[in-house]
Protein backbone atom coordinates (compact mmCIF):
# COMPACT_ATOMS: atom_id res chain seq x y z
CA UNK A 1 0.00 0.00 0.00
CA UNK A 2 1.36 3.46 -0.78
CA UNK A 3 1.85 5.69 2.23
CA UNK A 4 3.39 9.04 3.15
CA UNK A 5 7.16 9.02 3.40
CA UNK A 6 9.64 10.80 5.61
CA UNK A 7 10.28 11.11 9.32
CA UNK A 8 8.32 12.69 12.15
CA UNK A 9 9.84 16.08 12.90
CA UNK A 10 9.24 16.93 16.54
CA UNK A 11 9.72 20.52 17.67
CA UNK A 12 9.95 21.22 21.39
CA UNK A 13 9.46 24.98 21.47
CA UNK A 14 10.33 25.19 25.20
CA UNK A 15 13.84 23.92 24.53
CA UNK A 16 13.93 24.99 20.85
CA UNK A 17 15.01 21.55 19.75
CA UNK A 18 14.14 19.67 16.59
CA UNK A 19 14.24 15.87 16.54
CA UNK A 20 13.66 13.56 13.61
CA UNK A 21 12.26 10.08 14.26
CA UNK A 22 11.82 7.33 11.71
CA UNK A 23 8.12 6.39 11.59
CA UNK A 24 8.16 4.16 8.50
CA UNK A 25 6.51 1.28 10.39
CA UNK A 26 3.70 3.55 11.56
CA UNK A 27 3.16 4.91 8.06
CA UNK A 28 3.01 1.39 6.62
CA UNK A 29 -0.04 0.64 8.78
CA UNK A 30 -1.57 4.14 9.16
CA UNK A 31 -0.69 5.63 5.72
CA UNK A 32 -0.37 9.30 6.79
CA UNK A 33 -2.72 12.28 7.31
CA UNK A 34 -5.36 11.98 10.00
CA UNK A 35 -4.72 8.28 10.78
CA UNK A 36 -1.01 8.74 11.45
CA UNK A 37 -1.52 11.99 13.36
CA UNK A 38 -4.28 10.46 15.49
CA UNK A 39 -2.13 7.42 16.34
CA UNK A 40 0.69 9.76 17.38
CA UNK A 41 -1.62 12.05 19.37
CA UNK A 42 -3.24 9.08 21.10
CA UNK A 43 0.13 7.85 22.35
CA UNK A 44 2.04 11.07 22.87
CA UNK A 45 -0.46 13.59 24.29
CA UNK A 46 -1.06 12.71 27.96
CA UNK A 47 -4.74 11.93 28.54
CA UNK A 48 -4.85 14.52 31.32
CA UNK A 49 -3.12 17.30 29.34
CA UNK A 50 -4.41 20.88 29.50
CA UNK A 51 -5.36 21.91 25.93
CA UNK A 52 -3.56 25.21 26.57
CA UNK A 53 -0.63 23.60 28.41
CA UNK A 54 2.84 22.65 27.17
CA UNK A 55 2.01 18.93 27.12
CA UNK A 56 -0.59 19.32 24.41
CA UNK A 57 0.79 18.72 20.91
CA UNK A 58 -0.27 19.87 17.48
CA UNK A 59 0.34 17.61 14.48
CA UNK A 60 0.49 18.69 10.84
CA UNK A 61 0.56 15.71 8.50
CA UNK A 62 0.49 14.79 4.84
CA UNK A 63 -0.76 11.71 3.02
CA UNK A 64 0.90 9.96 0.08
CA UNK A 65 -1.32 11.59 -2.56
CA UNK A 66 0.24 14.95 -1.76
CA UNK A 67 3.23 13.57 -3.67
CA UNK A 68 1.10 13.31 -6.83
CA UNK A 69 -0.07 15.83 -9.43
CA UNK A 70 -3.67 14.62 -9.15
CA UNK A 71 -6.66 16.87 -8.63
CA UNK A 72 -8.37 16.90 -5.21
CA UNK A 73 -5.12 16.35 -3.31
CA UNK A 74 -4.11 19.91 -2.36
CA UNK A 75 -4.97 19.20 1.26
CA UNK A 76 -3.26 18.82 4.66
CA UNK A 77 -4.39 17.46 8.02
CA UNK A 78 -3.98 18.97 11.51
CA UNK A 79 -4.70 17.15 14.79
CA UNK A 80 -4.55 18.10 18.47
CA UNK A 81 -6.36 18.16 21.80
CA UNK A 82 -9.13 20.70 21.23
CA UNK A 83 -9.63 23.67 23.57
CA UNK A 84 -13.25 23.73 22.33
CA UNK A 85 -14.37 20.09 22.69
CA UNK A 86 -11.75 18.92 25.20
CA UNK A 87 -11.22 15.86 22.97
CA UNK A 88 -9.10 15.03 19.94
CA UNK A 89 -9.94 16.91 16.77
CA UNK A 90 -8.58 16.80 13.26
CA UNK A 91 -9.16 19.50 10.68
CA UNK A 92 -8.36 19.64 7.00
CA UNK A 93 -7.29 22.61 4.85
CA UNK A 94 -6.58 23.21 1.17
CA UNK A 95 -4.40 25.78 -0.49
CA UNK A 96 -0.83 25.24 -1.66
CA UNK A 97 0.88 24.18 1.56
CA UNK A 98 0.91 20.44 0.89
CA UNK A 99 3.53 20.46 -1.88
CA UNK A 100 5.81 22.80 0.07
CA UNK A 101 5.43 20.63 3.17
CA UNK A 102 6.36 17.52 1.15
CA UNK A 103 9.41 19.35 -0.25
CA UNK A 104 10.95 19.41 3.25
CA UNK A 105 11.06 15.60 3.24
CA UNK A 106 9.04 15.05 6.43
CA UNK A 107 5.67 13.31 6.76
CA UNK A 108 4.47 14.70 10.11
CA UNK A 109 5.35 17.82 12.09
CA UNK A 110 4.77 17.74 15.85
CA UNK A 111 4.83 20.90 17.96
CA UNK A 112 5.07 20.58 21.73
CA UNK A 113 6.17 22.66 24.74
CA UNK A 114 5.64 26.37 25.32
CA UNK A 115 8.01 29.09 24.18
CA UNK A 116 8.73 32.10 26.38
CA UNK A 117 8.96 34.31 23.27
CA UNK A 118 6.73 34.57 20.22
CA UNK A 119 8.27 32.43 17.48
CA UNK A 120 8.34 32.03 13.73
CA UNK A 121 9.70 28.56 12.94
CA UNK A 122 11.29 27.76 9.60
CA UNK A 123 11.38 24.13 8.48
CA UNK A 124 13.53 23.29 5.46
CA UNK A 125 15.08 20.14 4.04
CA UNK A 126 18.29 21.40 5.60
CA UNK A 127 17.15 21.95 9.19
CA UNK A 128 14.97 24.06 11.48
CA UNK A 129 15.36 27.68 12.61
CA UNK A 130 13.57 29.21 15.60
CA UNK A 131 13.19 32.98 15.10
CA UNK A 132 11.95 35.30 17.84
CA UNK A 133 9.34 37.66 16.38
CA UNK A 134 8.07 40.03 19.11
CA UNK A 135 7.17 42.48 16.32
CA UNK A 136 4.46 40.05 15.17
CA UNK A 137 2.57 40.17 18.47
CA UNK A 138 -1.06 40.85 17.63
CA UNK A 139 -0.41 40.67 13.88
CA UNK A 140 -3.23 39.63 11.58
CA UNK A 141 -2.74 36.69 9.23
CA UNK A 142 -2.03 38.91 6.17
CA UNK A 143 0.50 40.86 8.25
CA UNK A 144 2.28 37.62 9.11
CA UNK A 145 2.33 36.69 5.42
CA UNK A 146 3.80 40.07 4.54
CA UNK A 147 6.53 39.59 7.17
CA UNK A 148 7.40 36.13 5.86
CA UNK A 149 7.47 37.37 2.27
CA UNK A 150 9.64 40.39 3.09
CA UNK A 151 12.05 38.70 5.46
CA UNK A 152 12.22 35.16 4.12
CA UNK A 153 11.14 35.49 0.50
CA UNK A 154 8.39 32.92 1.00
CA UNK A 155 4.78 33.39 -0.10
CA UNK A 156 1.72 32.49 2.01
CA UNK A 157 1.59 29.08 0.32
CA UNK A 158 4.66 28.11 2.37
CA UNK A 159 3.17 29.13 5.68
CA UNK A 160 0.77 28.24 8.47
CA UNK A 161 -0.05 31.17 10.74
CA UNK A 162 -2.33 32.29 13.53
CA UNK A 163 -3.91 35.69 14.01
CA UNK A 164 -4.73 37.62 17.19
CA UNK A 165 -7.47 35.10 18.03
CA UNK A 166 -4.94 32.28 18.35
CA UNK A 167 -2.63 34.38 20.49
CA UNK A 168 -5.58 35.34 22.70
CA UNK A 169 -6.62 31.68 23.12
CA UNK A 170 -10.04 32.06 21.51
CA UNK A 171 -11.32 28.50 21.78
CA UNK A 172 -12.27 28.37 18.11
CA UNK A 173 -9.16 30.08 16.73
CA UNK A 174 -8.03 28.65 13.41
CA UNK A 175 -4.70 27.92 11.82
CA UNK A 176 -4.55 29.66 8.44
CA UNK A 177 -2.55 28.85 5.32
CA UNK A 178 -2.38 30.80 2.05
CA UNK A 179 -4.16 33.61 3.99
CA UNK A 180 -7.61 32.23 3.17
CA UNK A 181 -7.53 28.45 3.74
CA UNK A 182 -8.38 27.27 7.18
CA UNK A 183 -7.72 24.45 9.58
CA UNK A 184 -10.94 25.68 11.08
CA UNK A 185 -12.74 23.53 13.55
CA UNK A 186 -11.84 22.88 17.17
CA UNK A 187 -9.43 25.67 18.07
CA UNK A 188 -6.15 24.35 16.66
CA UNK A 189 -5.01 27.98 16.35
CA UNK A 190 -5.34 28.41 20.10
CA UNK A 191 -3.03 25.42 20.61
CA UNK A 192 -0.30 27.15 18.57
CA UNK A 193 -1.13 30.39 20.42
CA UNK A 194 -0.66 28.70 23.79
CA UNK A 195 2.77 27.58 22.62
CA UNK A 196 3.68 31.10 21.45
CA UNK A 197 4.10 29.93 17.86
CA UNK A 198 2.94 32.62 15.42
CA UNK A 199 3.84 30.84 12.20
CA UNK A 200 5.71 27.92 10.67
CA UNK A 201 7.15 28.00 7.16
CA UNK A 202 8.07 25.05 4.93
CA UNK A 203 10.47 25.02 2.00
CA UNK A 204 12.87 22.58 0.39
CA UNK A 205 13.81 20.64 -2.70
CA UNK A 206 13.09 17.05 -1.73
CA UNK A 207 11.69 15.15 -4.70
CA UNK A 208 8.68 12.96 -3.92
CA UNK A 209 10.01 9.40 -3.71
CA UNK A 210 6.92 7.37 -4.56
CA UNK A 211 5.09 6.64 -7.78
CA UNK A 212 1.34 7.12 -7.94
CA UNK A 213 -0.47 4.56 -10.15
CA UNK A 214 -1.59 5.97 -13.51
CA UNK A 215 -4.32 5.35 -14.38
CA UNK A 216 -6.15 6.70 -12.47
CA UNK A 217 -3.92 9.74 -11.74
CA UNK A 218 -4.26 11.52 -15.10
CA UNK A 219 -7.84 10.31 -15.66
CA UNK A 220 -8.96 12.00 -12.44
CA UNK A 221 -7.13 15.16 -13.43
CA UNK A 222 -8.64 15.26 -16.92
CA UNK A 223 -12.18 14.58 -15.70
CA UNK A 224 -11.85 17.30 -13.06
CA UNK A 225 -10.72 19.79 -15.71
CA UNK A 226 -13.58 18.85 -18.08
CA UNK A 227 -16.38 18.77 -15.49
CA UNK A 228 -19.29 21.16 -16.00
CA UNK A 229 -20.52 20.78 -12.42
CA UNK A 230 -21.96 24.13 -11.18
CA UNK A 231 -19.81 23.74 -8.08
CA UNK A 232 -16.84 24.73 -10.22
CA UNK A 233 -18.41 28.18 -10.62
CA UNK A 234 -20.08 28.66 -7.24
CA UNK A 235 -18.23 26.33 -4.86
CA UNK A 236 -20.26 25.14 -1.89
CA UNK A 237 -22.18 28.46 -1.95
CA UNK A 238 -24.15 26.99 -4.87
CA UNK A 239 -25.96 24.64 -2.49
CA UNK A 240 -27.53 27.40 -0.39
CA UNK A 241 -30.96 27.56 -1.98
CA UNK A 242 -31.28 23.79 -2.34
CA UNK A 243 -30.46 23.35 1.34
CA UNK A 244 -32.88 26.14 2.25
CA UNK A 245 -35.59 24.49 0.16
CA UNK A 246 -34.97 21.32 2.17
CA UNK A 247 -35.59 23.22 5.43
CA UNK A 248 -32.03 22.53 6.57
CA UNK A 249 -30.64 26.06 6.78
CA UNK A 250 -30.73 27.02 10.48
CA UNK A 251 -31.87 30.62 10.72
CA UNK A 252 -31.79 33.28 13.46
CA UNK A 253 -29.87 31.07 15.93
CA UNK A 254 -31.88 27.90 15.26
CA UNK A 255 -35.27 29.60 15.71
CA UNK A 256 -36.18 28.55 12.16
CA UNK A 257 -35.13 26.07 9.47
CA UNK A 258 -35.25 28.30 6.39
CA UNK A 259 -34.19 31.83 5.52
CA UNK A 260 -36.41 34.05 3.39
CA UNK A 261 -33.35 35.88 1.99
CA UNK A 262 -31.33 32.77 1.06
CA UNK A 263 -31.18 33.84 -2.60
CA UNK A 264 -29.61 37.18 -1.63
CA UNK A 265 -26.62 35.48 0.01
CA UNK A 266 -26.48 32.20 -1.98
CA UNK A 267 -24.57 30.87 -4.98
CA UNK A 268 -25.64 33.44 -7.60
CA UNK A 269 -25.01 36.35 -5.25
CA UNK A 270 -21.52 35.03 -4.46
CA UNK A 271 -20.76 34.27 -8.12
CA UNK A 272 -21.58 37.89 -9.01
CA UNK A 273 -18.71 38.92 -6.71
CA UNK A 274 -16.26 36.31 -8.00
CA UNK A 275 -13.51 37.98 -10.03
CA UNK A 276 -11.17 35.12 -10.86
CA UNK A 277 -10.74 31.35 -10.55
CA UNK A 278 -9.36 29.83 -7.38
CA UNK A 279 -7.99 26.38 -6.65
CA UNK A 280 -5.88 24.28 -4.33
CA UNK A 281 -2.51 22.85 -5.32
CA UNK A 282 -2.69 20.50 -8.33
CA UNK A 283 -6.50 20.73 -8.51
CA UNK A 284 -8.03 21.26 -11.95
CA UNK A 285 -11.53 21.32 -10.45
CA UNK A 286 -10.81 24.80 -9.07
CA UNK A 287 -13.94 25.33 -6.98
CA UNK A 288 -12.63 28.20 -4.83
CA UNK A 289 -14.22 31.65 -4.75
CA UNK A 290 -11.98 34.74 -4.81
CA UNK A 291 -14.54 37.54 -4.47
CA UNK A 292 -14.45 41.32 -4.58
CA UNK A 293 -17.05 44.00 -3.89
CA UNK A 294 -16.28 46.85 -6.26
CA UNK A 295 -18.21 49.41 -4.21
CA UNK A 296 -16.35 48.90 -0.94
CA UNK A 297 -13.12 47.39 -2.29
CA UNK A 298 -13.59 44.41 0.05
CA UNK A 299 -11.76 41.30 -1.15
CA UNK A 300 -11.95 37.83 0.36
CA UNK A 301 -12.17 34.19 -0.67
CA UNK A 302 -15.73 32.98 -0.33
CA UNK A 303 -18.03 32.95 1.49
CA UNK A 304 -18.39 29.19 1.27
CA UNK A 305 -21.74 27.71 2.22
CA UNK A 306 -21.02 27.17 5.91
CA UNK A 307 -20.03 30.83 6.27
CA UNK A 308 -23.19 31.88 4.44
CA UNK A 309 -25.09 29.98 7.13
CA UNK A 310 -23.00 31.18 10.10
CA UNK A 311 -22.68 34.87 9.14
CA UNK A 312 -25.88 35.02 7.06
CA UNK A 313 -28.99 33.04 7.94
CA UNK A 314 -27.90 32.34 11.54
CA UNK A 315 -27.48 36.05 12.18
CA UNK A 316 -30.48 37.06 10.06
CA UNK A 317 -28.10 38.97 7.76
CA UNK A 318 -29.30 39.24 4.17
CA UNK A 319 -26.55 41.15 2.34
CA UNK A 320 -23.84 39.06 0.69
CA UNK A 321 -21.27 41.82 1.20
CA UNK A 322 -21.84 41.65 4.96
CA UNK A 323 -21.32 37.89 4.82
CA UNK A 324 -18.12 38.47 2.82
CA UNK A 325 -17.01 40.91 5.53
CA UNK A 326 -17.61 38.31 8.26
CA UNK A 327 -15.55 35.84 6.23
CA UNK A 328 -12.75 38.33 5.71
CA UNK A 329 -12.64 39.23 9.42
CA UNK A 330 -12.39 35.58 10.47
CA UNK A 331 -9.65 34.82 7.94
CA UNK A 332 -7.66 37.88 8.92
CA UNK A 333 -8.07 37.45 12.69
CA UNK A 334 -7.70 33.67 12.49
CA UNK A 335 -11.05 32.18 13.55
CA UNK A 336 -13.30 29.33 12.40
CA UNK A 337 -16.16 31.02 10.55
CA UNK A 338 -18.71 28.44 11.72
CA UNK A 339 -18.08 28.66 15.46
CA UNK A 340 -17.44 32.43 15.31
CA UNK A 341 -20.54 33.15 13.23
CA UNK A 342 -22.84 30.97 15.33
CA UNK A 343 -21.46 32.39 18.59
CA UNK A 344 -22.12 35.91 17.28
CA UNK A 345 -25.62 34.74 16.29
CA UNK A 346 -26.15 33.60 19.90
CA UNK A 347 -25.13 37.08 21.03
CA UNK A 348 -27.51 38.74 18.54
CA UNK A 349 -30.27 36.46 19.87
CA UNK A 350 -29.55 37.61 23.40
CA UNK A 351 -29.72 41.26 22.33
CA UNK A 352 -32.71 40.80 20.00
CA UNK A 353 -30.55 42.24 17.22
CA UNK A 354 -30.87 39.73 14.37
CA UNK A 355 -29.97 41.34 11.07
CA UNK A 356 -27.66 43.94 12.62
CA UNK A 357 -24.57 43.21 10.50
CA UNK A 358 -22.59 46.18 11.83
CA UNK A 359 -23.00 44.91 15.39
CA UNK A 360 -22.11 41.38 14.29
CA UNK A 361 -18.86 42.61 12.74
CA UNK A 362 -18.00 44.71 15.77
CA UNK A 363 -18.52 41.73 18.07
CA UNK A 364 -16.53 39.42 15.79
CA UNK A 365 -13.51 41.70 16.18
CA UNK A 366 -14.04 41.89 19.94
CA UNK A 367 -13.93 38.10 20.17
CA UNK A 368 -10.50 37.94 18.54
CA UNK A 369 -9.11 40.51 21.00
CA UNK A 370 -11.21 39.29 23.95
CA UNK A 371 -12.55 42.81 24.46
CA UNK A 372 -15.69 43.37 26.54
CA UNK A 373 -18.39 40.83 25.72
CA UNK A 374 -15.90 39.32 23.26
CA UNK A 375 -14.03 37.81 26.19
CA UNK A 376 -17.05 35.66 27.07
CA UNK A 377 -17.92 34.86 23.46
CA UNK A 378 -14.34 33.72 22.82
CA UNK A 379 -15.14 30.76 25.07
CA UNK A 380 -17.77 29.49 22.61
CA UNK A 381 -21.51 28.95 23.01
CA UNK A 382 -21.26 25.97 25.39
CA UNK A 383 -19.38 28.05 27.94
CA UNK A 384 -21.15 31.43 27.51
CA UNK A 385 -24.79 30.54 26.75
CA UNK A 386 -25.86 30.93 30.41
CA UNK A 387 -24.46 34.47 30.51
CA UNK A 388 -26.25 35.25 27.24
CA UNK A 389 -29.48 33.59 28.36
CA UNK A 390 -29.78 31.49 25.18
CA UNK A 391 -29.97 27.76 24.56
CA UNK A 392 -26.76 25.78 24.19
CA UNK A 393 -26.82 24.68 20.56
CA UNK A 394 -23.60 22.65 20.58
CA UNK A 395 -22.50 19.02 20.74
CA UNK A 396 -19.42 18.25 22.84
CA UNK A 397 -18.82 21.99 22.94
CA UNK A 398 -18.71 22.45 19.17
CA UNK A 399 -21.12 24.81 17.44
CA UNK A 400 -23.29 23.22 14.76
CA UNK A 401 -22.56 23.24 11.08
CA UNK A 402 -25.66 23.90 8.94
CA UNK A 403 -27.57 20.84 7.56
CA UNK A 404 -30.14 20.83 10.32
CA UNK A 405 -30.30 17.54 12.22
CA UNK A 406 -33.90 18.28 13.17
CA UNK A 407 -34.78 17.66 9.50
CA UNK A 408 -31.96 15.34 8.38
CA UNK A 409 -32.27 12.82 11.20
CA UNK A 410 -29.35 10.62 10.13
CA UNK A 411 -27.18 13.73 10.12
CA UNK A 412 -28.55 14.55 13.58
CA UNK A 413 -27.47 11.10 14.78
CA UNK A 414 -24.05 11.74 13.26
CA UNK A 415 -23.70 15.04 15.13
CA UNK A 416 -24.68 13.29 18.40
CA UNK A 417 -22.05 10.54 18.26
CA UNK A 418 -19.20 12.24 16.37
CA UNK A 419 -16.01 12.38 18.38
CA UNK A 420 -15.52 15.91 17.04
CA UNK A 421 -18.99 17.16 17.99
CA UNK A 422 -21.42 18.97 15.69
CA UNK A 423 -19.29 19.01 12.55
CA UNK A 424 -20.69 18.03 9.14
CA UNK A 425 -17.36 16.74 7.76
CA UNK A 426 -17.17 13.84 10.22
CA UNK A 427 -19.49 11.64 8.13
CA UNK A 428 -21.44 12.03 4.91
CA UNK A 429 -24.96 11.35 6.12
CA UNK A 430 -26.18 14.74 4.91
CA UNK A 431 -25.27 13.94 1.28
CA UNK A 432 -27.11 10.62 1.39
CA UNK A 433 -30.19 12.26 2.92
CA UNK A 434 -30.26 15.27 0.58
CA UNK A 435 -29.93 13.00 -2.45
CA UNK A 436 -32.69 10.69 -1.22
CA UNK A 437 -30.36 7.68 -1.14
CA UNK A 438 -31.65 7.28 2.39
CA UNK A 439 -34.84 8.76 3.83
CA UNK A 440 -34.05 11.84 5.96
CA UNK A 441 -36.90 10.89 8.28
CA UNK A 442 -36.01 8.71 11.26
CA UNK A 443 -32.82 7.51 12.89
CA UNK A 444 -33.31 3.75 13.23
CA UNK A 445 -31.56 1.43 10.81
CA UNK A 446 -28.97 4.07 9.85
CA UNK A 447 -26.13 3.08 12.17
CA UNK A 448 -24.29 0.73 9.79
CA UNK A 449 -24.32 3.41 7.11
CA UNK A 450 -23.10 6.03 9.58
CA UNK A 451 -20.19 3.85 10.69
CA UNK A 452 -19.18 3.30 7.07
CA UNK A 453 -19.43 7.03 6.31
CA UNK A 454 -17.29 7.90 9.35
CA UNK A 455 -14.67 5.36 8.32
CA UNK A 456 -14.73 6.60 4.75
CA UNK A 457 -14.25 10.24 5.82
CA UNK A 458 -11.42 9.26 8.17
CA UNK A 459 -9.60 7.46 5.36
CA UNK A 460 -10.26 10.36 2.96
CA UNK A 461 -8.54 12.64 5.50
CA UNK A 462 -5.68 10.15 5.66
CA UNK A 463 -4.96 9.74 1.92
CA UNK A 464 -5.54 12.79 1.69
CA UNK A 465 -8.42 13.39 -0.76
CA UNK A 466 -10.67 16.46 -0.86
CA UNK A 467 -14.24 15.82 0.28
CA UNK A 468 -15.48 17.25 -3.03
CA UNK A 469 -13.62 14.67 -5.12
CA UNK A 470 -15.65 11.54 -4.38
CA UNK A 471 -17.25 11.46 -7.84
CA UNK A 472 -13.78 11.31 -9.40
CA UNK A 473 -11.59 9.62 -6.80
CA UNK A 474 -14.05 6.74 -6.52
CA UNK A 475 -13.80 3.70 -4.26
CA UNK A 476 -12.49 1.66 -7.20
CA UNK A 477 -9.84 4.24 -7.98
CA UNK A 478 -8.80 4.43 -4.34
CA UNK A 479 -8.27 0.65 -4.45
CA UNK A 480 -5.95 1.10 -7.45
CA UNK A 481 -4.16 4.10 -5.98
CA UNK A 482 -3.51 2.40 -2.66
CA UNK A 483 -3.23 -1.16 -4.04
CA UNK A 484 -5.61 -2.45 -1.40
CA UNK A 485 -9.27 -3.54 -1.16
CA UNK A 486 -11.56 -0.65 -0.16
CA UNK A 487 -12.62 -2.54 2.96
CA UNK A 488 -8.98 -2.49 4.10
CA UNK A 489 -8.87 1.29 3.63
CA UNK A 490 -12.07 1.61 5.66
CA UNK A 491 -10.40 -0.39 8.43
CA UNK A 492 -7.71 2.30 8.66
CA UNK A 493 -10.51 4.86 9.01
CA UNK A 494 -12.21 2.71 11.66
CA UNK A 495 -9.03 2.46 13.73
CA UNK A 496 -8.73 6.24 13.61
CA UNK A 497 -12.29 6.80 14.86
CA UNK A 498 -11.73 4.26 17.67
CA UNK A 499 -8.49 5.92 18.80
CA UNK A 500 -10.18 9.33 18.87
CA UNK A 501 -13.01 7.93 20.97
CA UNK A 502 -10.65 6.08 23.32
CA UNK A 503 -8.61 9.23 23.88
CA UNK A 504 -11.82 11.11 24.63
CA UNK A 505 -13.05 8.33 26.94
CA UNK A 506 -9.90 8.72 28.99
CA UNK A 507 -10.78 12.39 29.39
CA UNK A 508 -14.23 11.48 30.70
CA UNK A 509 -16.19 11.84 27.46
CA UNK A 510 -18.68 8.98 27.13
CA UNK A 511 -22.33 8.06 26.54
CA UNK A 512 -23.56 11.10 28.43
CA UNK A 513 -21.88 13.34 25.85
CA UNK A 514 -23.43 11.62 22.81
CA UNK A 515 -26.50 13.84 22.79
CA UNK A 516 -28.30 16.63 20.98
CA UNK A 517 -29.79 19.89 22.26
CA UNK A 518 -33.06 19.04 20.50
CA UNK A 519 -35.27 16.00 20.05
CA UNK A 520 -35.23 13.73 17.03
CA UNK A 521 -37.07 10.40 16.75
CA UNK A 522 -35.69 7.36 18.58
CA UNK A 523 -32.30 8.93 19.30
CA UNK A 524 -31.55 6.70 22.30
CA UNK A 525 -32.28 3.52 20.38
CA UNK A 526 -30.33 4.76 17.37
CA UNK A 527 -27.31 5.51 19.53
CA UNK A 528 -27.53 1.94 20.89
CA UNK A 529 -27.57 0.69 17.29
CA UNK A 530 -24.53 2.84 16.54
CA UNK A 531 -22.62 1.46 19.54
CA UNK A 532 -23.46 -2.03 18.37
CA UNK A 533 -22.32 -1.34 14.81
CA UNK A 534 -19.16 0.38 16.05
CA UNK A 535 -18.43 -2.35 18.62
CA UNK A 536 -18.54 -0.02 21.62
CA UNK A 537 -19.51 -0.74 25.21
CA UNK A 538 -22.97 0.36 26.38
CA UNK A 539 -21.50 3.41 28.08
CA UNK A 540 -19.96 4.63 24.82
CA UNK A 541 -16.43 3.54 25.66
CA UNK A 542 -14.09 1.57 23.43
CA UNK A 543 -13.36 -2.02 24.59
CA UNK A 544 -9.73 -2.60 25.60
CA UNK A 545 -9.29 -5.31 22.98
CA UNK A 546 -10.31 -2.85 20.24
CA UNK A 547 -7.85 -0.24 21.50
CA UNK A 548 -5.04 -2.78 21.34
CA UNK A 549 -5.88 -3.53 17.70
CA UNK A 550 -6.35 0.11 16.71
CA UNK A 551 -3.26 1.51 18.40
CA UNK A 552 0.09 1.03 16.74
CA UNK A 553 3.05 -0.44 18.58
CA UNK A 554 5.10 1.43 15.98
CA UNK A 555 4.35 4.85 17.50
CA UNK A 556 7.56 6.17 19.07
CA UNK A 557 7.09 7.02 22.73
CA UNK A 558 8.37 10.27 24.11
S1 LIG B 1 -12.19 20.49 -5.19
FE1 LIG B 1 -12.01 22.64 -4.52
S2 LIG B 1 -11.55 22.52 -2.28
FE2 LIG B 1 -11.16 20.47 -3.19
S3 LIG B 1 -8.96 20.45 -3.65
FE3 LIG B 1 -10.05 21.13 -5.52
S4 LIG B 1 -10.09 23.39 -5.44
FE4 LIG B 1 -9.57 22.62 -3.38
Amino acid sequence: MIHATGPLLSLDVSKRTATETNIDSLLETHVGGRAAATALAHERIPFDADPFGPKNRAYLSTGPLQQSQMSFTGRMNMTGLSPLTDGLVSSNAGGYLSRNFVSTGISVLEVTGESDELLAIHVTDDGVTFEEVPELEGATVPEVSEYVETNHDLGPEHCIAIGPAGENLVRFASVMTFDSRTFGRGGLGAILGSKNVKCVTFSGDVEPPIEIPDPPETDVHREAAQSDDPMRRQGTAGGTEFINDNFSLPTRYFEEYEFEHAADIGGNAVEEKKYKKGACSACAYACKLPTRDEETGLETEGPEFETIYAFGSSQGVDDVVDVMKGNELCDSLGMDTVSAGVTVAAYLASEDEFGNAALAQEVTEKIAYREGIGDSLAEGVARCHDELGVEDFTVKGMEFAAHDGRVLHGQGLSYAVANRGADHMYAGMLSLEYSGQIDPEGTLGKAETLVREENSAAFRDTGIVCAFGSEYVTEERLETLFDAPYEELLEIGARTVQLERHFNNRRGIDRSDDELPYEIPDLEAAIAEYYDARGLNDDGTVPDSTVETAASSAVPTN
Side-chain angles (χ1 to χ4, degrees), residues 83 85 139 180 391:
T85 70
S180 56
E391 280 186 68

Side-chain angles (χ1 to χ4, degrees), residues 99-408:
R99 271 57 182 180
N100 292 313
F101 183 91
V102 165
S103 76
T104 66
I106 65 172
S107 59
V108 184
L109 176 80
E110 176 187 69
V111 184
T112 186
E114 185 180 319
S115 171
D116 48 9
E117 297 287 345
L118 194 63
L119 293 177
I121 304 172
H122 307 289
V123 177
T124 72
D125 51 354
D126 200 27
V128 176
T129 312
F130 296 89
E131 177 192 11
E132 292 184 8
V133 285
E135 62 271 47
L136 288 183
E137 190 178 330
T140 62
V141 172
E143 287 167 350
V144 177
S145 292
E146 195 181 329
Y147 176 88
V148 168
E149 179 103 50
T150 304
N151 292 277
H152 298 277
D153 200 22
L154 294 172
E157 67 275 14
H158 288 267
C159 190
I160 59 170
I162 62 169
E167 283 183 70
N168 293 324
L169 307 186
V170 174
R171 287 184 187 270
F172 42 82
S174 60
V175 174
M176 302 297 298
T177 178
F178 196 55
D179 284 347
S180 56
R181 309 299 170 82
T182 314
F183 297 95
R185 306 239 62 191
L188 292 161
I191 301 178
L192 289 191
S194 71
K195 299 185 179 310
N196 249 338
V197 174
K198 188 70 178 176
C199 66
V200 187
T201 66
F202 302 89
S203 60
D205 293 312
V206 172
E207 291 288 334
I210 63 172
E211 286 189 16
I212 305 295
D214 189 16
E217 185 181 15
T218 51
D219 288 347
V220 168
H221 207 60
R222 187 186 62 254
E223 289 171 22
Q226 292 172 349
S227 168
D228 60 0
D229 193 310
M231 185 163 167
R232 296 192 67 202
R233 289 186 288 107
Q234 299 192 346
T236 53
T240 307
E241 284 163 88
F242 170 82
I243 291 162
N244 193 50
D245 291 346
N246 279 272
F247 308 109
S248 301
L249 185 63
T251 295
R252 287 179 273 272
Y253 195 63
F254 304 98
E255 284 179 8
E256 296 153 73
Y257 305 77
E258 59 177 328
F259 189 42
E260 64 279 14
H261 298 294
D264 297 328
I265 56 174
N268 291 336
V270 174
E271 192 181 359
E272 273 180 30
K273 302 292 183 188
K274 186 174 172 179
Y275 66 98
K276 63 176 180 179
K277 283 195 161 204
C280 303
S281 179
C283 190
Y285 198 68
C287 76
K288 304 311 290 180
L289 301 166
T291 49
R292 178 164 57 211
D293 178 52
E294 300 296 347
E295 203 176 316
T296 59
L298 172 66
E299 282 190 12
T300 189
E301 188 170 87
E304 297 286 354
F305 167 69
E306 289 295 334
T307 312
I308 289 171
Y309 142 73
F311 275 88
S313 64
S314 271
Q315 298 180 3
V317 167
D318 60 7
D319 185 332
V320 73
V321 177
D322 285 323
V323 183
M324 285 169 61
K325 182 64 185 169
N327 190 67
E328 189 267 333
L329 279 172
C330 286
D331 285 357
S332 174
L333 300 168
M335 293 191 287
D336 172 29
T337 58
V338 180
S339 284
V342 172
T343 304
V344 170
Y347 172 74
L348 296 181
S350 74
E351 296 290 307
D352 199 17
E353 284 284 356
F354 286 127
N356 187 339
L359 179 61
Q361 289 155 20
E362 182 189 323
V363 168
T364 302
E365 286 201 60
K366 283 184 172 174
I367 291 174
Y369 295 101
R370 284 187 175 270
E371 286 173 11
I373 188 65
D375 191 34
S376 298
L377 301 180
E379 294 292 294
V381 167
R383 292 173 175 85
C384 74
H385 71 98
D386 276 342
E387 183 181 338
L388 297 181
V390 300
E391 280 186 68
D392 176 11
F393 274 97
T394 64
V395 177
K396 300 184 179 76
M398 183 173 279
E399 291 75 14
F400 276 91
H403 316 291
D404 204 312
R406 294 170 294 185
V407 176
L408 307 170

Side-chain angles (χ1 to χ4, degrees), residues 406-423:
R406 294 170 294 185
V407 176
L408 307 170
H409 294 155
Q411 184 57 43
L413 174 63
S414 172
Y415 288 140
V417 298
N419 295 325
R420 199 187 293 163
D423 179 51

Side-chain angles (χ1 to χ4, degrees), residues 20-31:
E20 284 194 4
T21 307
N22 184 314
I23 54 167
D24 289 351
S25 304
L26 172 68
L27 294 171
E28 279 168 22
T29 54
H30 287 67
V31 176

